[in-house]
Amino acid sequence: MKTVSVKKLAVSGVFCALAVVGSLFLTFPVLGSKCAPVQHMVNVLCAVFLGPWYGLGVAFAASVLRNLLGWGSLLAFPGSMCGALLCGLVYQLAKNLPLTLVAEVAGTGVLGALAAYPVAKGLMGLTPESYTVYILPFLISTVAGSILAGALVLALRRSGALEAMQSALRT
């Protein structure tokens, strides 16, 4: 059991680093947020390889690091964590990639965007005109990241590497 935990922790660190470094190269600012599609790709990869709780931890750690480095905003927390948890739970229950991608988009693009409003208003001092203001930019970011993740997971599945990688993290 400890070997599995160490492997998952190591993969979590790699995914966290990918999310943080990816946000340096592919980020676009919208209304106080810094949308990072690579984070959403990582959310899906965590769902497929690690499960919902590791995915939630990776999203939290990446958000902390992005904020400490000045590469993110407080909106990274609800934006990434809602999507990571929802797509992780869906993949754990259904083992269905298209459904997992939809869960990432719904979790980040809708739930995360709605949860971002009180963060923007209460913690960041922003005055968004509506509680729905972050839905469109979060949807754009999460759809882009989900497409990247879907393409990567499908390529891994076709090559036979997906099952081998998942198996290595189970044993």
Side-chain angles (χ1 to χ4, degrees):
M1 184 63 183
K2 288 185 181 188
T3 304
V4 173
S5 297
V6 171
K7 286 179 185 179
K8 285 187 171 188
L9 192 56
V11 172
S12 296
V14 170
F15 283 154
C16 184
L18 177 61
V20 172
V21 173
S23 73
L24 180 61
F25 296 106
L26 184 59
T27 302
F28 55 95
V30 179
L31 302 169
S33 71
K34 294 181 181 177
C35 297
V38 174
Q39 176 66 59
H40 309 296
M41 178 187 76
V42 167
N43 285 352
V44 174
L45 295 176
C46 284
V48 170
F49 291 109
L50 302 172
W53 307 114
Y54 279 92
L56 183 64
V58 168
F60 177 78
S63 296
V64 168
L65 289 170
R66 286 177 57 214
N67 275 276
L68 289 175
L69 293 167
W71 300 344
S73 76
L74 292 178
L75 302 181
F77 290 96
S80 65
M81 292 172 67
C82 291
L85 182 59
L86 187 60
C87 79
L89 290 170
V90 166
Y91 190 81
Q92 185 177 50
L93 294 172
K95 300 289 191 261
N96 181 297
L97 182 61
L99 197 56
T100 301
L101 298 174
V102 169
E104 167 60 28
V105 170
T108 295
V110 179
L111 298 177
L114 293 174
Y117 176 80
V119 172
K121 193 167 177 113
L123 297 177
M124 297 174 68
L126 299 175
T127 54
E129 64 266 8
S130 165
Y131 65 92
T132 61
V133 72
Y134 294 108
I135 290 177
L136 184 59
F138 281 28
L139 279 173
I140 292 168
S141 182
T142 191
V143 165
S146 294
I147 289 169
L148 288 171
L152 181 57
V153 172
L154 287 175
L156 290 170
R157 182 179 289 158
R158 285 191 189 118
S159 73
L162 180 65
E163 179 58 39
M165 293 166 75
Q166 288 174 322
S167 177
L169 289 168
R170 283 193 297 261
T171 58

